[in-house]
């Protein structure tokens, strides 16, 4: 049925259209449309009745004399409502050598479009030909963001020290047949709602969703599909395929239903956002939106203006510090916070946002300071992946006063230590206490470091301890894709095994790595399924695997129940920490000066920092809990006997909380019921971790 309130003849452009706000805005008179294009010679607004229509129901030329303000083309159309399907046809010069790529045969998405529909016969290839492509084109949808009952919901603004992130894929979380959900809910926002009790039981306080901006699933090698979603075509619209509702506004409302339900469960929503490139690809790619609107404004071009700078590794790079692009990024972030109620953002390849229009790094990138200082975004969690594909690596040096950073050096050093590499003791010691070597100069809180050993990009935790090399043949690129620097160790057998000794060792290594993530100073992040040893069968770049390779198999909950129990108890203990209110928080350096009591080796107060050392111990205070903790890490392949600090001053004894060499349920126990240990030494098994605690009055 047509979404028009009146027949096409009654649809009337009104000269009172406004340049602001950008996009399609519902108002009492109808819908105001506004779009930016500096070099266009003519712009037409096309209205459609159905998503797969080859021809528009109405074409509205935008008069450049009366309906253009500066470089903004705008028109108010009476008789329209939310749900109207539309797109743009933009005329101008086709001069790639001068950076101009106007193509009036292509229907363009609105960069500010709040909704997108995708015809069943959508074809990326249709954008590469010279023919009209309206029938096979994605189209924008008019959305009224105020037509939703939030029932009092607001972003949670949980303190950083209580944040435990679960990085997950909306579709992959519930798509597997073992999820127990109906077919229509599997792999959707609504499906995630059904699994919120699982996240609550695990203890997660924030989900970090892989990209949910509308993306082009066909932006992948021939025969493959873009599963991860790092191929955006719009920065305001939720991905339609993740909605169980296929009506035009269904994805917008179902996304908000999900956010509201997660908030009610005390769980924040962090979006993995891609403001560094689009699905339009390189000079051979399709014209979907920005390229056909104002190519040289939106993208960083090479000296040869027909080519795109490629700091993203995907074919193009957004010109993020151009005023128009900066405004679009800020408007997008504000929209997701104000109208969609999200709690934070993780910025993919965030270092790209530090580059100027020629690709050079800037000391004070305007867009990053805009984001940090924007009052609408104040208190919103901002996490940077502080590197890019062009070699700019800014871990520890990312600009700003409030950005958190994915600590890639934590990942690498902890992996290397437990693999048994030499020269890692001093480095892993620094990572465990918040990486002061990296972040101490900023005098920031410990949570500036987001600590993780696995993420969507690379091996799963199970595969990290099960494979020495990547196995990406299914991606169709002859195993050339994906990183070769995995710092993994297969524990003696490549891939799955029935050898109980190997499986026992792998389980122990998994628990060691999880303990480091959850016990270190910083903000911990767990990747989806690592709590139950999810495997991708050695694929460390499953971006194009929308199948059981990437989906969470829910039968693993019982198969690896001991690992699930272990990480649940780790998280629960972390959430019990008694820490000062956020406004009284100490800096990382202050915390370390007041808390670290001593570093040790197998002998007290004699840490072995040598290149060939594989073990370390240290004691520190939880002063607000009046507890003294003693952590022992043994990455050596034989057991080692460690001297323990005396705790006899007040009749106290050490209590053993964790020993990863022990079988479940003794590997980790409930904190209050931890068994006493009165010996002066403790034999720590090969490749294992032990954590003891005692009253704070203990003598060292």
């Amino acid at each position: 049925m047509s979404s028009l309130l009146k027949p096409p003849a009654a649809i009337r452009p009104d000269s009172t259209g406004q340049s602001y706000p950008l996009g399609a805005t519902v108002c009492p008179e109808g819908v105001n449309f506004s779009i930016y294009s500096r070099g266009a010679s003519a712009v037409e607004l096309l209205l459609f009745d159905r998503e797969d229509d080859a021809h528009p129901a109405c074409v509205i030329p935008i008069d450049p004399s009366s309906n253009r303000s500066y470089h903004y083309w705008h028109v108010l159309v009476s008789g329209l409502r939310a749900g109207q399907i539309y797109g743009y046809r933009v005329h101008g010069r086709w001069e790639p050598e001068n950076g101009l790529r106007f193509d009036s045969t292509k229907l363009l998405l609105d960069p500010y479009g709040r909704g997108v529909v995708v015809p069943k016969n959508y074809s990326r290839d249709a954008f590469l030909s010279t023919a009209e492509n309206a029938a096979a084109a994605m189209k924008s949808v008019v959305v009224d963001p105020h037509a939703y009952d939030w029932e009092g919901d607001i972003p949670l603004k949980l303190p950083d020290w209580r944040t435990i992130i679960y990085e997950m894929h909306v579709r992959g979380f519930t798509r597997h047949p073992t999820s127990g959900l109906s077919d229509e809910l599997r792999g959707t926002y609504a499906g995630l709602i059904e699994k919120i009790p699982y996240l609550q039981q695990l203890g997660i306080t924030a989900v970090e969703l892989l990209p949910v901006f509308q993306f082009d699933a066909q932006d992948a090698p021939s025969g493959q599909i873009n599963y991860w979603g790092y191929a955006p075509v719009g920065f305001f619209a939720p991905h339609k395929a993740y909605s169980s509702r296929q009506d035009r506004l269904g994805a917008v409302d179902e996304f908000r239903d999900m956010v509201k339900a997660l908030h009610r469960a005390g769980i924040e929503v962090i979006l993995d956002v891609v403001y560094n490139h689009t699905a339009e690809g390189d000079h051979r790619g399709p014209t979907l939106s920005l390229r056909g609107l104002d190519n040289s404004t939106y993208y960083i071009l090479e000296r040869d203006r027909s080519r795109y700078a490629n700091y993203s590794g995907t074919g193009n790079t957004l010109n993020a510090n151009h005023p128009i692009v900066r405004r679009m990024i800020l408007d997008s972030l504000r929209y997701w916070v104000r109208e969609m109620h999200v709690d934070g953002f993780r910025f993919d390849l965030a270092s790209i946002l530090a580059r100027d229009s020629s690709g050079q790094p800037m000391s004070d990138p305007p867009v990053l300071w805009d984001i940090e200082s924007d009052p609408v975004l104040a208190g919103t969690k901002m996490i940077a992946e502080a590197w890019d594909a062009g070699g700019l690596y800014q871990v520890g040096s990312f600009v700003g006063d409030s950005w958190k950073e994915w600590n890639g050096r934590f990942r690498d050093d902890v992996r290397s230590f437990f693999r048994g590499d030499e020269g890692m003791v001093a480095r892993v010691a620094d990572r465990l206490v918040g990486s002061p070597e990296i972040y101490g100069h900023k005098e920031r809180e410990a949570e500036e470091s987001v600590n993780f050993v696995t993420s969507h990009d690379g091996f799963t935790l199970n595969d990290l301890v099960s494979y020495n090399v990547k196995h990406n043949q299914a991606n169709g690129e002859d195993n050339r894709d994906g990183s070769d620097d995995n710092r993994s160790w297969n524990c003696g057998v490549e891939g799955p095994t029935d050898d109980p000794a190997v499986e026992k060792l792998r389980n122990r290594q998994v628990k060691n790595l999880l303990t480091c993530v959850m016990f270190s100073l910083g903000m911990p992040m767990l990747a989806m399924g690592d709590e139950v040893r999810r495997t991708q069968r050695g694929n460390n770049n499953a971006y194009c695997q929308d199948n059981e390779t990437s989906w969470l198999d829910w039968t693993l909950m019982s198969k690896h129940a001991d690992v699930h129990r272990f990480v649940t108890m780790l998280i629960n203990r972390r959430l019990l920490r008694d820490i000062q209110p956020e406004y009284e928080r100490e800096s990382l350096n202050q915390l370390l000066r007041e808390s670290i009591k001593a570093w040790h080796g197998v002998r007290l107060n004699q840490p072995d920092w040598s290149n060939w050392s594989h073990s370390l111990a240290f004691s520190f205070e939880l002063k607000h809990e009046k507890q003294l903790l003693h952590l022992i890490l043994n990455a050596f392949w034989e057991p080692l006997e460690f001297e323990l600090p005396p705790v006899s001053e007040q009749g106290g004894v050490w209590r053993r909380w964790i020993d990863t060499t022990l079988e479940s349920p003794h590997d980790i126990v409930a904190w209050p019921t931890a068994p006493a240990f009165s010996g002066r030494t403790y034999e720590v098994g090969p490749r294992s971790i032990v954590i003891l605690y005692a009253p704070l009055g203990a003598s060292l």
Side-chain angles (χ1 to χ4, degrees), residues 121-139:
N121 65 332
Y122 167 71
S123 171
R124 184 174 173 86
D125 291 341
F127 287 82
L128 300 174
S129 72
T130 58
E132 294 276 352
N133 71 329
M138 286 186 269
K139 302 172 180 68

Side-chain angles (χ1 to χ4, degrees), residues 467-513:
Y467 294 90
N468 282 348
V469 296
K470 65 187 181 184
H471 295 268
N472 297 356
Q473 289 81 0
N475 295 352
E477 300 181 46
D478 297 323
N479 209 35
R480 294 188 303 270
D481 63 307
S483 175
D484 293 313
D485 181 19
N486 297 293
R487 308 189 187 205
S488 61
W489 178 49
N490 65 16
C491 297
V493 177
E494 188 74 357
T497 180
D498 294 327
D499 187 327
V502 173
E503 266 300 291
K504 184 176 180 180
L505 175 56
R506 289 177 178 175
N507 238 29
R508 190 159 73 247
Q509 289 283 71
V510 164
K511 293 173 183 176
N512 292 337
L513 294 163

Side-chain angles (χ1 to χ4, degrees), residues 90-213:
V90 178
H91 302 258
R93 290 180 292 166
W94 174 264
E95 297 176 1
E97 68 277 10
N98 293 319
L100 302 175
R101 290 181 176 269
F102 294 103
D103 184 353
S104 61
T105 67
K106 300 298 175 281
L107 183 71
L108 304 180
L109 286 166
D110 181 355
Y112 277 71
R114 270 65 171 175
V116 173
V117 290
V118 184
K120 290 183 173 59
N121 65 332
Y122 167 71
S123 171
R124 184 174 173 86
D125 291 341
F127 287 82
L128 300 174
S129 72
T130 58
E132 294 276 352
N133 71 329
M138 286 186 269
K139 302 172 180 68
S140 298
V141 179
V142 176
V143 172
D144 182 358
H146 306 297
Y148 181 80
D149 184 2
W150 277 105
E151 301 179 279
D153 176 82
I154 56 173
L156 295 180
K157 296 188 183 298
L158 297 179
D160 293 337
W161 58 267
R162 287 196 63 82
T163 300
I164 297 171
I165 298 173
Y166 189 77
E167 188 205 35
M168 62 183 295
H169 190 284
V170 169
R171 179 170 168 83
F173 189 53
T174 63
R175 187 66 187 88
H176 200 279
T178 59
S179 67
L181 302 183
S182 61
D183 289 346
E184 61 270 18
L185 292 185
R186 284 167 43 205
T188 67
Y189 305 121
L192 195 156
I193 293 173
E194 295 297 312
K195 292 295 186 179
I196 287 176
Y198 172 81
L199 298 171
Q200 287 180 293
Q201 188 272 334
L202 190 60
I204 296 303
T205 68
V207 291
E208 182 177 299
L209 306 180
L210 264 67
V212 297
F213 291 178

Side-chain angles (χ1 to χ4, degrees), residues 385-428:
E385 183 184 34
W387 55 83
D388 67 20
L392 186 56
Y393 192 81
Q394 297 178 314
V395 172
S397 62
F398 201 76
V399 304
D401 300 323
S402 63
W403 288 84
K404 311 296 185 291
E405 296 176 16
W406 264 26
N407 190 344
R409 291 171 65 181
F410 180 99
R411 173 199 61 205
D412 295 344
D413 292 343
V414 171
R415 286 183 176 193
S416 294
F417 176 77
F418 279 104
R419 185 172 66 171
D421 292 1
E422 293 188 344
M424 298 308 302
V425 169
R427 291 166 69 173
V428 83

Side-chain angles (χ1 to χ4, degrees), residues 443-591:
E443 291 297 335
R444 288 271 305 281
E445 70 284 357
E447 289 75 23
E448 182 177 2
S449 174
V450 176
N451 299 330
F452 67 104
V453 290
T454 56
S455 67
H456 69 279
D457 190 3
F459 280 144
T460 66
L461 189 54
N462 175 82
D463 293 358
L464 187 67
V465 301
S466 303
Y467 294 90
N468 282 348
V469 296
K470 65 187 181 184
H471 295 268
N472 297 356
Q473 289 81 0
N475 295 352
E477 300 181 46
D478 297 323
N479 209 35
R480 294 188 303 270
D481 63 307
S483 175
D484 293 313
D485 181 19
N486 297 293
R487 308 189 187 205
S488 61
W489 178 49
N490 65 16
C491 297
V493 177
E494 188 74 357
T497 180
D498 294 327
D499 187 327
V502 173
E503 266 300 291
K504 184 176 180 180
L505 175 56
R506 289 177 178 175
N507 238 29
R508 190 159 73 247
Q509 289 283 71
V510 164
K511 293 173 183 176
N512 292 337
L513 294 163
L514 288 169
T515 301
C516 284
V517 171
M518 290 299 165
F519 202 71
S520 298
L521 292 177
M523 185 182 294
M525 186 185 82
L526 181 69
M528 181 185 83
D530 278 354
E531 73 277 14
V532 290
R533 290 184 56 182
R534 184 179 73 86
T535 180
Q536 292 178 173
R537 296 185 286 278
N539 192 324
N540 76 347
N541 188 36
Y543 76 99
C544 58
Q545 299 298 319
D546 185 10
N547 51 52
E548 294 190 12
T549 298
S550 300
W551 303 340
L552 178 57
D553 179 352
W554 289 80
T555 65
L556 296 174
M557 309 303 163
S558 56
K559 181 177 181 180
H560 295 294
D562 64 316
V563 176
H564 184 270
R565 172 185 175 273
F566 188 91
V567 70
T568 299
M569 295 187 73
L570 275 175
I571 292 173
N572 289 342
R573 177 61 188 91
R574 186 180 177 99
L575 291 175
L576 289 174
R577 294 181 306 166
D578 180 16
I579 301 184
Q580 294 169 288
E582 194 81 353
Y583 60 86
E584 297 178 2
R585 294 298 311 282
E586 301 165 310
S587 72
L588 173 62
N589 292 336
Q590 290 174 306
L591 184 63

Side-chain angles (χ1 to χ4, degrees), residues 213 235-236 275 327-336:
F213 291 178
F235 302 109
F236 294 80
Y275 293 115
R327 182 178 299 114
M328 180 180 69
I329 293 172
L330 261 292
D331 286 346
S332 170
L333 292 169
R334 292 175 186 138
Y335 177 77
W336 288 98

